[in-house]
Amino acid sequence: GAVVSQHPSWVICKSGTSVKIECRSLDFQATTMFWYRQFPKQSLMLMATSNEGSKATYEQGVEKDKFLINHASLTLSTLTVTSAHPEDSSFYICSATAYYGYTFGSGTRLTVV
Amino acid sequence: GNSVTQMEGPVTLSEEAFLTINCTYTATGYPSLFWYVQYPGEGLQLLLKATKADDKGSNKGFEATYRKETTSFHLEKGSVQVSDSAVYFCALIKLDFGNEKLTFGTGTRLTIIP
């Protein structure tokens, strides 16, 4: 079946640094990928929709200059958290639409210290 | 807007117990409803779905019925196993002139003890 690989699974970084999270579709081409964020005891919140070869569409309230999304190929989308701060600590998860529906990565736990 | 309200966890049950995780939704029109499961260290996997009123989704012994009158999609299993320990997410998709987005509940952590 369709598999999405997300890397890294967890990362700890210093405040002020940038962190890149990768999301790859392993056995299918994903023209559209989605990035979600989950705070403790809250829903997964859609951050942005990433379309191959075009600019990402961000949800209201998500800072596009803070969360840079690049979808340069049909199998790779990246989310870069720039100048990370402790309030950016969260669980980030990507998904892609495959032929039978949504396929999710395993998520990335980001901790900013 | 669309929203999903899900039973708060964590839920701890003994093996072979009956499971219910409540889920209600708010949406205009006729959304499709889903249950996703996330096992430790893995991504979300589709467990079951229902696309119209009175549909029953089922998989791996789990069932959920799309109840339009109560706007609910409760997840049930008659006899849980230790391997069912995971986080369960209720979700909906509302198609809106090409704008399709998944809206999730908060997730319910289920732990089954032998």
Side-chain angles (χ1 to χ4, degrees):
Chain A
V3 177
V4 170
S5 174
Q6 187 172 342
H7 179 81
S9 57
W10 61 270
V11 57
I12 301 173
C13 71
K14 290 185 177 180
S15 189
T17 62
S18 295
V19 173
K20 179 183 286 187
I21 302 170
E22 294 187 348
C23 182
R24 293 180 184 274
S25 57
L26 296 186
D27 50 1
F28 67 102
Q29 293 182 332
T31 54
T32 303
M33 289 187 173
F34 305 87
W35 287 95
Y36 296 84
R37 179 176 182 178
Q38 185 181 30
F39 292 100
K41 298 185 178 181
Q42 295 187 30
S43 302
L44 279 84
M45 302 299 297
L46 180 65
M47 299 175 65
T49 302
S50 167
N51 295 295
E52 186 268 335
S54 63
K55 290 182 179 180
T57 303
Y58 290 81
E59 294 300 301
Q60 191 173 9
V62 178
E63 300 175 61
K64 59 182 179 182
D65 295 330
K66 173 76 171 176
F67 299 99
L68 299 179
I69 291 172
N70 184 280
H71 194 160
S73 77
L74 286 170
T75 59
L76 175 64
S77 176
T78 61
L79 167 67
T80 301
V81 183
T82 62
S83 187
H85 291 285
E87 58 265 30
D88 298 324
S89 298
S90 192
F91 184 71
Y92 296 87
I93 191 165
C94 67
S95 76
T97 48
Y99 55 91
Y100 59 78
Y102 292 83
T103 300
F104 289 83
S106 55
T108 299
R109 173 75 58 193
L110 170 64
T111 302
V112 184
V113 297
Chain B
N2 301 328
S3 67
V4 176
T5 301
Q6 188 174 340
M7 175 179 177
E8 280 195 32
V11 174
T12 303
L13 295 172
S14 297
E15 205 166 20
E16 299 184 2
F18 184 87
L19 168 71
T20 300
I21 300 178
N22 289 339
C23 172
T24 57
Y25 67 90
T26 301
T28 56
Y30 301 93
S32 294
L33 302 175
F34 304 82
W35 276 99
Y36 283 87
V37 57
Q38 185 177 30
Y39 298 103
E42 300 183 17
L44 275 72
Q45 302 173 25
L46 179 64
L47 179 61
L48 54 84
K49 68 178 182 181
T51 57
K52 61 182 187 296
D54 300 325
D55 265 3
K56 177 186 283 188
S58 61
N59 185 25
K60 299 181 181 180
F62 290 90
E63 293 183 340
T65 301
Y66 189 146
R67 301 286 188 198
K68 182 74 174 171
E69 64 275 14
T70 54
T71 61
S72 65
F73 193 54
H74 304 322
L75 182 68
E76 297 182 336
K77 186 173 184 180
S79 177
V80 292
Q81 305 300 312
V82 172
S83 56
D84 294 327
S85 299
V87 180
Y88 292 81
F89 292 90
C90 186
L92 68 82
I93 285 179
K94 174 66 169 40
L95 294 177
D96 201 0
F97 296 101
N99 183 21
E100 176 185 288
K101 296 177 185 177
L102 268 173
T103 300
F104 286 93
T106 54
T108 301
R109 182 174 299 280
L110 172 67
T111 301
I112 307 300
I113 53 177

